[in-house]
Amino acid sequence: MSDINEFKCIELYKVILSSKNLIEHKKVAHSIAPTIEIIVQCAMCLFTATYTNMNIHYEKDHNIIQSVDNFEFESIDGFNNWKHEIELSTQTLYVKNFGSSEKGNQIYSYYKCHRSGFYNSISKGQRHLKTQGSNKINGYCPASINVIESKVTKRCNVKFNGNHIGHENEIGHLPLNTCTRDDIAAKISQNIPFDRILDEIRDNITNNHLERTHLPTKKDLYNIEASYNLNNEAVHHSNYATSVGAWVEKLKSDDKLSLVYYKSQGQIDTNYLELKEDDFLLLIMKEYQKSMLNKFGNDVICIDETHGMNSYHFNLTTIKVLDDLREGFPCSFLISNRVDETVLRIFFAEIRDKTGIIQPNVFMSDMAESFYNAWIVEMKPGSIVEIYKVLRTLLQEQDAEAFRRMFDNAINRMAKDDETMHFSNYFISYYAPSVQSWAYCHRLNAGINTNMHIERMHRTLKHIYLQGKKVKRLDKSLHALMRYTRGKSIDRLIVLHKGKISSKVKELRKRHKTSILMSLEMVLKNVDGKSWNVLSGKTNEMYENLTPSHHQTSPNKLKITPHRRYHSTKAKRNVEKSTLSIEVPNQVEQNCIAASLL
């Protein structure tokens, strides 16, 4: 063994193989107290030293004079109240890096600035760092609070160093304090809606001085709900698999349940050997849903899948019928890790065993062929009308000539069928004259596909601020508009202080990762040597004549150059990339927003 890893006790001529054992040996055999020196790095340069020498370095080399104040409190509660007020007034946070220690009749506690230290990532690099960056400044901030509490008198002597070095006191790097979290948790426990909680908090903004407590988000409220275990009706156990298993057992014990099929990951189902071991399936249908499916299933069946219901990328597939009021009613649910013909056949087969064969007049599904194919195999239907599928195909066709042929065929097909003749007349009257307004092939190069931002605002106003009600009074509408404007202003303030990754940046990052993994054989350099053609990895489309952008941008602007997509069968086009400039917000904008909330 190398001598560099050996520690020798001179008195006993004993070789000790680790520093930890040497410290223990000195303490037991020689009554020598261990001395541990922690080395820290300067927040303004690369100098390293112990805590004491670092404070000398700040004063000598950076001309930063630190002042230490002494305080005395009657009890630990008095100290905690003072600490809370200091943190609120200075927008800082002091935390313990380790627990308190006892020596004799005194308890020693050491609080450090929560931004002091280094950022040590334990991630695998699959996610980007949050936009405001880490709380740690990768250096030593000397701000600290040292507390000595007497066990006898309960009095506290405090040494307070309020000199923060290496960072600004920004509310974007502060968590919600304990008092605020307790207040919010109390309101959540009373089943007060999240929107009302946020409204009450935002009503307390009375001046231009913003605090962290003024900028909570719904994500903060969900985190508080989970940390205080207030969502116990939905979460039966902290472990995901155990909680889902408890849900399934609860469903099976429900006498109103007609069908439940559950296959967890890591198990093999001998009844369906085509399922993989890592497949997850949960099928639910209650007795009333079964009766609705039997009653109205022979008219219209609607099947579609929904994404984003959970963080495990499980999809929700729903079967709906149109009732006698011509309103949709969900009859069965399937939650699965994949939606293909194999899984859908199991879904439909389980339903068929409970309800019998269902033969609807109209079958509406997603564009994917797997829905229709699985339904045909398991239900063996007769004549099924596929209007929805035809219309979706028309909407997404990118070639104008192909669209014209498909459009004529669809009109002729619907006109010849007695069941769709009336719809054909309606479609010809209202949609055929305005094809260029709704067909995607006529707006390929428009830069946008929908007015989603306006539609989203309308849905937010109607369903969140007006609670889905049809308001007759104009004053209520004005009140909702003002609340919506205030909410958007608060959201903007949250973005300014805490940062936010826009959907555009997310898409660019996703494309960047995809391009790194892409084969170089898919990138073809043109003859001019200044542009490239890139073949799509999913379709037969080609990104043509792509050239690097050399536009200069100012330091306070972010330039985004989006891709333009063209079909590979078309002739090459000269593409001029558009540049989207996003102004970086400044303090003036923050003050204006805060003032508008008064």
Side-chain angles (χ1 to χ4, degrees):
M1 180 176 292
S2 174
D3 292 340
I4 197 171
N5 292 325
E6 297 178 355
F7 301 87
K8 296 182 179 180
C9 173
I10 300 177
E11 297 183 16
L12 299 178
Y13 301 99
K14 182 177 180 180
V15 176
I16 301 174
L17 299 180
S18 71
S19 58
K20 181 179 179 181
N21 291 341
L22 177 62
I23 293 174
E24 187 67 22
H25 171 75
K26 287 181 178 180
K27 183 178 179 181
V28 175
H30 305 290
S31 300
I32 300 176
T35 57
I36 301 176
E37 292 186 345
I38 300 177
I39 305 299
V40 294
Q41 179 175 311
C42 175
M44 305 178 70
C45 65
L46 299 179
F47 178 77
T48 58
T50 61
Y51 285 126
T52 303
N53 293 334
M54 185 58 67
N55 291 329
I56 297 174
H57 166 74
Y58 280 137
E59 181 176 351
K60 180 179 178 181
D61 297 337
H62 297 291
N63 297 322
I64 299 176
I65 307 300
Q66 302 181 43
S67 60
V68 178
D69 299 321
N70 296 311
F71 299 93
E72 187 173 349
F73 300 95
E74 295 293 333
S75 64
I76 192 66
D77 292 334
F79 161 72
N80 289 330
N81 293 334
W82 170 83
K83 175 176 174 290
H84 178 66
E85 293 176 359
I86 285 292
E87 291 175 337
L88 286 180
S89 61
T90 59
Q91 295 182 354
T92 55
L93 178 64
Y94 296 89
V95 297
K96 286 183 178 180
N97 289 337
F98 44 84
S100 302
S101 60
E102 297 184 11
K103 186 176 181 180
N105 292 327
Q106 294 178 329
I107 302 175
Y108 295 83
S109 301
Y110 303 96
Y111 296 85
K112 301 293 183 181
C113 172
H114 83 295
R115 301 204 61 186
S116 179
F118 277 80
Y119 168 63
N120 297 318
S121 176
I122 59 175
S123 70
K124 298 180 181 179
Q126 296 179 352
R127 298 179 62 182
H128 288 269
L129 186 65
K130 51 190 176 183
T131 53
Q132 73 266 33
S134 170
N135 287 337
K136 299 302 181 182
I137 60 174
N138 293 331
Y140 168 63
C141 175
S144 61
I145 303 176
N146 297 339
V147 184
I148 302 177
E149 179 186 1
S150 173
K151 291 183 179 180
V152 180
T153 63
K154 305 299 181 182
R155 298 179 67 87
C156 296
N157 294 317
V158 176
K159 287 186 177 181
F160 174 56
N161 182 349
N163 303 278
H164 292 270
I165 299 176
H167 66 91
E168 299 291 335
N169 296 339
E170 302 168 325
I171 61 177
H173 289 281
L174 291 176
L176 291 173
N177 59 60
T178 304
C179 295
T180 303
R181 289 171 59 87
D182 291 342
D183 292 340
I184 293 176
K187 295 177 181 179
I188 295 176
S189 65
Q190 298 172 10
N191 295 324
I192 298 178
F194 283 4
D195 291 324
R196 184 180 299 177
I197 295 175
L198 293 176
D199 281 342
E200 292 177 357
I201 294 174
R202 292 166 181 177
D203 287 338
N204 294 328
I205 301 179
T206 57
N207 51 48
N208 291 342
H209 179 68
L210 287 174
E211 298 178 359
R212 177 63 180 91
T213 55
H214 294 151
L215 304 177
T217 62
K218 280 192 176 181
K219 179 62 176 176
D220 293 325
L221 270 59
Y222 282 118
N223 291 339
I224 293 173
E225 183 183 42
S227 62
Y228 284 75
N229 195 26
L230 300 176
N231 56 348
N232 50 8
E233 292 184 2
V235 180
H236 295 284
H237 196 275
S238 58
N239 180 269
Y240 154 73
T242 305
S243 181
V244 173
W247 261 106
V248 173
E249 293 301 322
K250 180 180 178 180
L251 290 172
K252 288 182 178 179
S253 62
D254 188 356
D255 55 356
K256 298 180 181 179
L257 196 70
S258 173
L259 170 64
V260 58
Y261 170 78
Y262 176 58
K263 181 205 171 296
S264 62
Q265 291 179 315
Q267 296 181 351
I268 298 294
D269 189 345
T270 56
N271 295 325
Y272 298 107
L273 296 177
E274 60 270 28
L275 292 177
K276 302 176 183 178
E277 184 177 353
D278 59 345
D279 281 338
F280 177 91
L281 273 78
L282 176 58
L283 195 160
I284 303 171
M285 182 171 67
K286 288 198 170 186
E287 192 65 36
Y288 185 68
Q289 291 177 306
K290 172 187 172 183
S291 63
M292 291 291 288
L293 185 58
N294 284 329
K295 185 175 182 180
F296 300 104
N298 292 327
D299 184 14
V300 178
I301 289 289
C302 308
I303 302 177
D304 199 4
E305 62 173 316
T306 304
H307 306 274
M309 294 290 293
N310 51 77
S311 61
Y312 302 97
H313 303 291
F314 291 170
N315 300 322
L316 171 65
T317 305
T318 308
I319 295 181
K320 297 180 69 175
V321 297
L322 293 184
D323 59 15
D324 49 352
L325 301 177
R326 309 311 289 171
E327 293 185 357
F329 187 89
C331 294
S332 185
F333 304 105
L334 170 68
I335 301 175
S336 59
N337 64 317
R338 60 188 175 108
V339 180
D340 54 18
E341 189 170 340
T342 300
V343 173
L344 291 173
R345 285 188 59 181
I346 296 175
F347 183 28
F348 299 150
E350 290 285 338
I351 294 176
R352 182 198 60 209
D353 293 342
K354 291 292 182 179
T355 63
I357 294 178
I358 299 174
Q359 296 185 358
N361 294 324
V362 178
F363 181 85
M364 300 175 63
S365 71
D366 195 87
M367 284 286 293
E369 295 289 340
S370 54
F371 290 92
Y372 183 49
N373 294 338
W375 184 271
I376 290 177
V377 172
E378 298 301 331
M379 294 296 181
K380 302 178 178 59
S383 176
I384 295 181
V385 183
E386 302 178 71
I387 297 177
Y388 178 75
K389 186 178 296 186
V390 172
L391 295 181
R392 292 299 302 176
T393 304
L394 286 173
L395 278 173
Q396 298 183 2
E397 177 56 43
Q398 299 183 17
D399 188 276
E401 183 62 26
F403 172 83
R404 187 187 61 79
R405 294 194 302 268
M406 294 170 59
F407 182 82
D408 294 339
N409 292 335
I411 293 295
N412 294 333
R413 180 179 175 183
M414 289 187 293
K416 293 178 180 179
D417 195 322
D418 294 337
E419 295 180 348
T420 59
M421 184 182 301
H422 295 292
F423 178 79
S424 174
N425 296 332
Y426 167 81
F427 190 75
I428 293 173
S429 300
Y430 291 95
Y431 286 92
S434 58
V435 167
Q436 294 185 351
S437 301
W438 55 266
Y440 184 57
C441 63
H442 292 293
R443 49 187 174 88
L444 272 176
N445 302 323
I448 56 174
N449 294 335
T450 179
N451 58 340
M452 61 181 67
H453 299 290
I454 296 295
E455 293 293 339
R456 182 179 180 182
M457 186 197 75
H458 291 165
R459 286 196 299 269
T460 302
L461 276 173
K462 293 178 181 178
H463 298 287
I464 296 180
Y465 289 93
L466 296 177
Q467 300 178 351
K469 300 177 181 178
K470 186 176 181 180
V471 178
K472 298 180 180 180
R473 295 175 59 96
L474 180 59
D475 50 359
K476 291 185 177 181
S477 299
L478 292 174
H479 177 65
L481 279 174
M482 294 301 100
R483 289 178 58 218
Y484 172 76
T485 304
R486 184 187 63 178
K488 295 297 291 184
S489 301
I490 294 294
D491 292 342
R492 179 64 179 167
L493 282 175
I494 293 173
V495 170
L496 298 184
H497 288 283
K498 299 184 65 178
K500 180 181 179 181
I501 301 177
S502 66
S503 58
K504 187 67 179 180
V505 175
K506 287 181 180 178
E507 182 64 23
L508 289 176
R509 287 180 174 179
K510 181 180 178 181
R511 292 182 179 182
H512 177 68
K513 290 182 179 180
T514 304
S515 64
I516 293 177
L517 301 176
M518 185 174 58
S519 173
L520 293 178
E521 297 178 355
M522 301 174 65
V523 182
L524 306 176
K525 194 171 185 178
N526 290 332
V527 180
D528 57 8
K530 299 181 180 180
S531 61
W532 291 265
N533 295 339
V534 181
L535 182 65
S536 173
K538 295 183 178 180
T539 64
N540 62 339
E541 296 177 352
M542 180 80 73
Y543 294 91
E544 299 179 351
N545 295 341
L546 300 181
T547 58
S549 177
H550 300 288
H551 298 290
Q552 297 295 328
T553 56
S554 57
N556 65 332
K557 289 186 178 181
L558 171 66
K559 184 179 67 176
I560 301 175
T561 53
H563 292 283
R564 294 294 181 90
R565 175 178 284 185
Y566 295 93
H567 202 275
S568 60
T569 59
K570 295 186 178 181
K572 294 183 179 180
R573 298 177 175 88
N574 293 324
V575 181
E576 294 183 0
K577 289 188 175 182
S578 61
T579 300
L580 175 63
S581 297
I582 302 176
E583 294 285 349
V584 177
N586 51 37
Q587 187 63 38
V588 176
E589 180 185 357
Q590 300 177 26
N591 294 338
C592 290
I593 295 175
S596 67
L597 299 175
L598 300 181

